[in-house]
Amino acid sequence: MAALGPLSRTARLGCNLCRKHRLVFNRNLQRRGIASCIDPSYGLSEEQKEFQKVAFDFAANEMAPHMAEWDQKEIFPVETMRKAAQLGFGGIYVQPEVGGSGLSRLDTSIIFEALSTGCVSTTAYISIHNMCAWMIDTFGNNEQRERFCPDLCSMEKFASYCLTEPGSGSDAASLLTSARLKGDHYILNGSKAFISGGGDTDVYVVMCRTGGKGPKGISCLVVEKGTPGLSFGKKEKKVGWNSQPTRAVIFEDCAVPVTNRLGAEGQGFNIAMKGLNGGRINIASCSLGAAHASVLLARDHLLVRKQFGETLANNQFLQFKLAEMATKLVASRLLVREAATALQQSRADAVSLCSMAKLFVTDECFNICNQALQMHGGYGYLKDYAVQQFVRDIRVHQILEGRCIFSFLCSRSQFDLSAYVFNLLPQEPTR
């Protein structure tokens, strides 16, 4: 398939979606000036605004009305995600020749931010799925790409990323899951913890040890559901992210064909880290969507809630707080988009910017959502109000995808971020 041009790419992302439906969070856009000053479309190209509008419309019409039910009943919304895939959201930055949309990292961030206004938990899973599809597209051979990517991009099949283990979280290079070569198969033994989609998904991108200690002994295998020796732990009960199941993934003499290895032996840690560079931007983008929605929910509540004879919107302290929230949201968005651009351009500062964005934005956006809940008072603690779910769903963003900025990037296998930052500082002249 030829690369998609601007018009056909826009069409692929579903711009024929009925335009009369407007995002619920954009009602009364100019009210009190808050919505206009945090407008996420500022600075975007016309094509990007189209992608964004499609995502906002989908979030408002297909996700937001079901967000609370998916959370309370722990529903994995397969059919809704397949509808999202019909708009091109199943493989946003996967190449078009294997079914992807072929968009940039910045386009991807814009889309995930918009989708998260409808349901953070579901969007976060879609982002992980996209990361897995990209890893296969980027590091797989043509046979692997053609075998796995089309079904992943259409979301006929779903993917999970398997790096974390019970004894290795931030210290990913110490993972113990082993893959012993026997003939034309690897015999896989070990377990992975906290796997999004575990048990309900079809494809598992697994980091395992095929060599000695350290990152150079790690390889990457694609394990398909139904492979003998593959099993799953109990479904975890979580504070948030309840529309996606989380389970341990267990391998007991699980025979995986050598043809399912991505890249060469020993390349797995590098593949995992490159996947996480984009994953950090994706998760930060999901946090942006939650924060954007929460600012507008707080604004609307302040405009209708009365205390001491007048609306809370007339309280100067709360006006200042809302202004601070808006400021932090815009600053966070700028950092994420700069990191996405740097990654797309393979700039030297891309890895550090991705980590900075993850570190800063997930903290600031959680604080924004938490402050929005506080502004709701007791109502914010009720499940009838969406703000509490945004708080619960994005709390985990501060933990996953490499919470500690130094844990991955200051390892000998990558580079010393502290030295990188130190080199940016003015130096005293040598005497």
Side-chain angles (χ1 to χ4, degrees):
M1 180 187 296
L4 295 175
L7 291 179
S8 56
R9 289 202 309 173
T10 300
R12 179 171 181 77
L13 282 171
C15 286
N16 59 345
L17 192 68
C18 183
R19 296 194 179 200
K20 69 180 181 179
H21 297 300
R22 304 298 297 175
L23 174 67
V24 67
F25 298 122
N26 280 345
R27 287 177 302 181
N28 304 317
L29 184 65
Q30 301 300 326
R31 191 192 298 180
R32 293 277 173 174
I34 285 292
S36 60
C37 73
I38 64 171
D39 183 356
S41 68
Y42 281 163
L44 302 184
S45 69
E46 290 305 312
E47 185 183 12
Q48 287 169 334
K49 289 177 182 178
E50 291 292 338
F51 303 153
Q52 185 184 59
K53 182 187 180 303
V54 170
F56 270 133
D57 285 343
F58 188 85
N61 298 311
E62 301 291 342
M63 300 173 80
H66 309 290
M67 183 177 83
E69 181 185 12
W70 293 342
D71 173 68
Q72 292 171 20
K73 296 182 180 179
E74 300 185 0
I75 296 170
F76 191 43
V78 168
E79 293 308 316
T80 299
M81 290 190 288
R82 285 177 176 157
K83 288 182 182 179
Q86 291 174 9
L87 302 176
F89 298 155
I92 301 172
Y93 50 110
V94 172
Q95 293 304 306
E97 57 263 27
V98 288
S101 298
L103 299 183
S104 72
R105 298 292 186 151
L106 177 55
D107 298 333
T108 303
S109 173
I110 292 163
I111 289 167
F112 285 145
E113 178 182 354
L115 289 177
S116 286
T117 60
C119 181
V120 172
S121 171
T122 304
T123 305
Y125 171 74
I126 294 173
S127 82
I128 295 167
H129 173 90
N130 269 261
M131 179 176 69
C132 292
W134 174 84
M135 291 167 71
I136 295 173
D137 180 39
T138 302
F139 299 101
N141 57 38
N142 287 336
E143 187 276 330
Q144 292 167 334
R145 294 173 67 233
E146 292 169 1
R147 177 155 58 105
F148 292 113
C149 289
D151 284 345
L152 294 178
C153 291
S154 67
M155 285 189 154
E156 285 303 309
K157 292 186 177 179
F158 295 91
S160 292
Y161 178 77
C162 300
L163 175 64
T164 300
E165 297 184 358
S168 64
S170 294
D171 184 14
S174 68
L175 65 84
L176 297 176
T177 296
S178 65
R180 178 175 53 86
L181 186 60
K182 184 177 181 181
D184 58 357
H185 284 71
Y186 287 102
I187 307 302
L188 198 57
N189 282 283
S191 64
K192 299 291 181 177
F194 309 127
I195 304 305
S196 293
D200 283 42
T201 50
D202 308 283
V203 173
Y204 297 84
V205 181
V206 181
M207 308 307 151
C208 53
R209 190 164 300 284
T210 54
K213 293 181 179 180
K216 293 183 179 180
I218 297 172
S219 298
C220 180
L221 300 180
V222 178
V223 182
E224 299 172 76
K225 190 174 184 180
T227 302
L230 172 64
S231 62
F232 307 96
K234 66 177 180 64
K235 185 178 177 182
E236 305 288 359
K237 304 295 288 184
K238 307 188 297 290
V239 171
W241 268 28
N242 289 318
S243 70
Q244 50 169 293
T246 300
R247 295 182 177 91
V249 177
I250 303 163
F251 309 99
E252 297 175 295
D253 291 332
C254 181
V256 181
V258 172
T259 53
N260 280 28
R261 187 187 68 221
L262 296 183
E265 276 200 5
Q267 196 180 354
F269 189 78
N270 183 54
I271 293 173
M273 294 303 101
K274 287 185 179 296
L276 281 179
N277 289 335
R280 291 182 178 115
I281 295 173
N282 295 347
I283 288 298
S285 301
C286 292
S287 294
L288 287 175
H292 181 81
S294 295
V295 168
L296 298 184
L297 288 172
R299 177 208 61 185
D300 289 348
H301 183 75
L302 296 182
L303 286 166
V304 299
R305 174 68 168 163
K306 287 187 176 181
Q307 290 289 278
F308 305 105
E310 60 180 356
T311 62
L312 294 179
N314 291 325
N315 182 288
Q316 190 177 56
F317 174 79
L318 294 177
Q319 291 172 1
F320 287 169
K321 280 293 184 183
L322 197 62
E324 289 174 0
M325 293 159 65
T327 301
K328 292 176 180 178
L329 171 59
V330 172
S332 296
R333 182 180 291 132
L334 291 173
L335 179 54
V336 170
R337 292 184 179 180
E338 178 65 15
T341 300
L343 185 61
Q344 184 68 33
Q345 296 173 350
S346 300
R347 283 169 23 192
D349 60 350
V351 177
S352 58
L353 282 173
C354 290
S355 295
M356 290 175 184
K358 166 63 174 62
L359 176 69
F360 181 83
V361 173
T362 57
D363 280 350
E364 291 303 322
C365 287
F366 175 79
N367 292 337
I368 290 168
C369 294
N370 196 42
Q371 182 61 53
L373 187 153
Q374 186 72 21
M375 287 178 167
H376 280 72
Y379 293 104
Y381 207 62
L382 302 180
K383 288 194 173 181
D384 293 330
Y385 288 74
V387 68
Q388 53 76 32
Q389 187 170 336
F390 286 121
V391 171
R392 289 187 293 108
D393 278 344
I394 73 164
R395 179 59 184 87
V396 74
H397 295 189
Q398 295 172 280
I399 299 171
L400 48 77
E401 300 283 13
R403 165 64 185 140
C404 178
I405 194 171
F406 297 101
S407 62
F408 287 114
L409 300 180
C410 291
S411 66
R412 290 189 298 273
S413 62
Q414 298 287 311
F415 66 94
D416 189 339
L417 181 61
S418 59
Y420 174 84
V421 174
F422 179 77
N423 288 334
L424 299 179
L425 302 177
Q427 301 296 309
E428 288 291 333
T430 303
R431 297 185 185 276

